[in-house]
Amino acid sequence: MNILLLGSGGREHALAWKMRVSPLLDNLFIAPGNAGTALLGNNLDVDPEDFNGVKRAALKNNIDMVVVGPEVPLVKGISDFFLNDPELSAIPVIGPSARGAQLEGSKEFAKQFMMQHKIPTARYLAVTADTIDEGERFLETLKAPYVLKADGLAAGKGVLIIDDIDEARNELQMMLGGKFGKASDTVVIEEFLSGIELSVFVVTDGHGYMILPEAKDYKRIGEGDTGLNTGGMGAVSPVPFADEEFMEKVEKRIIRPTVEGLKSDGIDYKGFIFFGLIKVDGDPFVIEYNVRMGDPETEVVMPRFQSDIVEVFKAVASGRLKELTPRFDTRTAVTVMMVSGGYPGKYEKGKNILGLDHVEGSIVFHAGTTSSNGVITSGGRVLAVTSLGDSMDEALKKSYENAENIQFENKYFRKDIGFDLK
Ligand code: AMP
Ligand code: GLY
């Protein structure tokens, strides 16, 4: 079959890499892709948010299935667009309908969903400019630090954690006054949960679900989890503290009620669900839902996934996921993200990348690269260097060695990935 994958980051390179080894795959197209995905299929110069452009690409290339990497096209309704267009309705889309994508697209929707289905999460109140007084009173019932979340998508920047209540009141006013544009017309105020975070992934056909390997990512730019938030500086899978007892709680209290809740709410959901969880005194709570795979988590999850991902996607499309049993590599996978100097602030692009041909013992997933007389940087996050090992340290050693040897001007990577798991 011919598959069109939407997106251009390390997540998409890892998905493409996994799909490429499937005997069920004929032609792979990636829109727009990067210099890494170009080695596995045909990159198309199409913006995933330009649905008519995606339609033209799908019809021209006889596409049999679309796999959606990032959240924005899902929240904007690409699955519904395909379903409602007579020329496209026979092409399954792996990714939820716009209603399902509200789990990520609206924090208030996600919170209401969790309340309704009794899924453990932090206490909250959703407020608008009209109810700001209630919001301030709610803040007074909480202990510091205070968590304020823009309701809508804000490119990963819409969550503020504030120590001081006066500052929290101020920020609340600024958010409701348009700090994040329309995304913060509604603000979710949340109780702060103290614990250790991890990411759990499932793929669902709306009835059954398959749990994928869990992972932990490292979001801050600086070592020891300091400095600004980034898209993610590295990841590890499996997560040692996600033991059997904990994962049983996750499945029983969170995964099953989520999939059953979507079904009982009449929400069509075929795709990935990413549970951003926190473990508090041994119990799991949901920090957030995402309706896609994580990045850089995919760069450690896919290398540990031993089943045929295209077969899984076919089963998702036909509602037969329950018939499959997944297989996982029990080794540890790590990924180390190489980024452009200055990221997540201002950084330069267009730097030549050298040394990719000499990588040994790691898989390099491209995150922000393009081809132009060789491979050049085109983003803040540039390359994810993934390795497998019998231990985390063994895997890290390989990734760090290769990250040292790959060169581009002003490269930076964290050297303490997994530091809190040792
Ligand atoms: P997000 O941008 O939605 O991934 O949230 C950013 C980060 O904020 C999360 O990864 C958590 O570290 C933190 N966070 C969000 N909500 C809470 C909460 N209720 N308690 C503690 N930390 C939180
Ligand atoms: N690594 C976190 C995310 O993909 O949102």
Side-chain angles (χ1 to χ4, degrees):
M1 64 195 296
N2 297 334
I3 299 185
L4 173 59
L5 170 65
L6 303 183
S8 63
R11 167 183 51 215
E12 286 73 24
H13 189 183
L15 287 169
W17 171 86
K18 190 68 206 166
M19 289 195 275
R20 187 66 272 172
V21 295
S22 168
L24 298 170
L25 180 71
D26 295 312
N27 297 304
L28 178 62
F29 298 86
I30 310 96
N34 60 38
T37 63
L39 305 172
L40 301 168
N42 303 301
N43 284 351
L44 303 175
D45 187 13
V46 173
D47 176 354
E49 292 169 38
D50 168 14
F51 293 177
N52 285 311
V54 174
K55 172 177 176 174
R56 282 191 296 275
L59 295 177
K60 181 167 172 224
N61 296 297
N62 295 317
I63 294 301
D64 301 301
M65 173 182 284
V66 176
V67 177
V68 185
E71 66 278 12
V72 176
L74 294 167
V75 173
K76 289 191 171 170
I78 193 151
S79 294
D80 313 78
F81 176 85
F82 268 69
L83 200 62
N84 295 329
D85 184 318
E87 286 181 281
L88 301 176
S89 58
I91 304 174
V93 175
I94 305 302
S97 61
R99 261 188 88 205
Q102 286 295 92
L103 280 185
E104 178 167 359
S106 165
K107 305 260 188 220
E108 184 184 16
F109 176 91
K111 284 297 210 180
Q112 281 171 350
F113 177 87
M114 287 186 268
M115 287 298 128
Q116 192 189 336
H117 299 289
K118 302 191 169 52
I119 295 165
T121 187
R123 208 153 62 84
Y124 82 106
L125 184 74
V127 299
T128 62
D130 293 337
T131 54
I132 191 162
D133 295 346
E134 279 171 55
E136 293 192 1
R137 282 198 295 277
F138 183 67
L139 276 175
E140 283 157 20
T141 70
L142 301 174
K143 285 202 254 53
Y146 306 93
V147 183
L148 302 180
K149 299 185 172 182
D151 176 62
L153 292 182
K157 297 192 169 61
V159 177
L160 301 179
I161 298 183
I162 303 161
D163 287 324
D164 179 75
I165 189 153
D166 289 327
E167 202 188 317
R169 282 197 195 95
N170 251 336
E171 279 293 348
L172 178 63
Q173 278 176 11
M174 290 203 301
M175 288 174 88
L176 292 170
K179 177 168 179 160
F180 296 104
K182 276 187 72 64
S184 63
D185 281 355
T186 297
V187 173
V188 170
I189 306 173
E190 249 181 55
E191 166 192 31
F192 181 84
L193 297 176
S194 187
I196 185 158
E197 288 178 60
L198 78 158
S199 307
V200 170
F201 305 96
V202 307
V203 61
T204 177
D205 58 7
H207 307 280
Y209 55 85
M210 178 185 284
I211 305 178
L212 304 176
E214 77 286 352
K216 183 166 198 323
D217 79 338
Y218 291 82
K219 287 207 179 94
R220 303 293 196 90
I221 189 72
E223 289 175 6
D225 281 341
T226 54
L228 293 175
N229 250 325
T230 71
M233 296 297 293
V236 174
S237 175
V239 178
F241 64 82
D243 53 27
E244 209 170 304
E245 188 191 349
F246 178 74
M247 289 307 288
E248 271 171 20
K249 290 181 188 169
V250 171
E251 182 168 7
K252 183 160 163 263
R253 299 178 191 174
I254 293 172
I255 296 174
R256 210 175 298 149
T258 298
V259 173
E260 283 171 5
L262 288 165
K263 198 170 154 183
S264 67
D265 289 354
I267 294 175
D268 183 30
Y269 203 113
K270 286 182 192 303
F272 293 106
I273 311 176
F274 166 162
F275 301 86
L277 304 183
I278 188 162
K279 184 179 184 183
V280 183
D281 297 330
D283 289 322
F285 291 80
V286 177
I287 292 275
E288 61 167 357
Y289 286 113
N290 295 307
V291 296
R292 53 174 172 82
M293 284 299 289
D295 194 353
E297 289 97 325
T298 310
E299 291 93 304
V300 289
V301 171
M302 285 302 132
R304 292 195 56 224
F305 189 66
Q306 290 178 320
S307 307
D308 180 338
I309 192 82
V310 177
E311 189 184 10
V312 171
F313 289 153
K314 277 185 76 172
V316 166
S318 60
R320 292 169 47 200
L321 193 57
K322 279 183 181 150
E323 293 171 19
L324 300 185
T325 310
R327 282 179 297 112
F328 306 129
D329 193 325
T330 54
R331 288 177 297 169
T332 296
V334 304
T335 198
V336 172
M337 191 63 82
M338 301 180 66
V339 306
S340 302
Y343 173 80
K346 266 179 78 154
Y347 58 86
E348 288 178 25
K349 300 181 190 176
K351 307 291 184 193
N352 289 311
I353 305 174
L354 301 174
L356 289 171
D357 296 338
H358 303 291
V359 171
E360 268 179 45
S362 299
I363 316 159
V364 178
F365 294 118
H366 292 224
T369 67
T370 187
S371 304
S372 163
N373 273 334
V375 180
I376 62 171
T377 68
S378 66
R381 294 196 292 173
V382 177
L383 300 167
V385 184
T386 296
S387 313
L388 286 155
D390 289 329
S391 68
M392 189 170 72
D393 280 334
E394 188 191 312
L396 282 168
K397 187 164 177 282
K398 294 187 213 170
S399 282
Y400 288 139
E401 266 171 26
N402 285 307
E404 291 292 350
N405 290 335
I406 297 169
Q407 299 300 339
F408 57 88
E409 203 181 306
N410 283 333
K411 75 171 180 186
Y412 168 74
F413 58 91
R414 269 179 67 169
K415 297 186 182 65
D416 69 338
I417 299 306
F419 76 100
D420 53 346
L421 301 176
K422 291 183 182 178

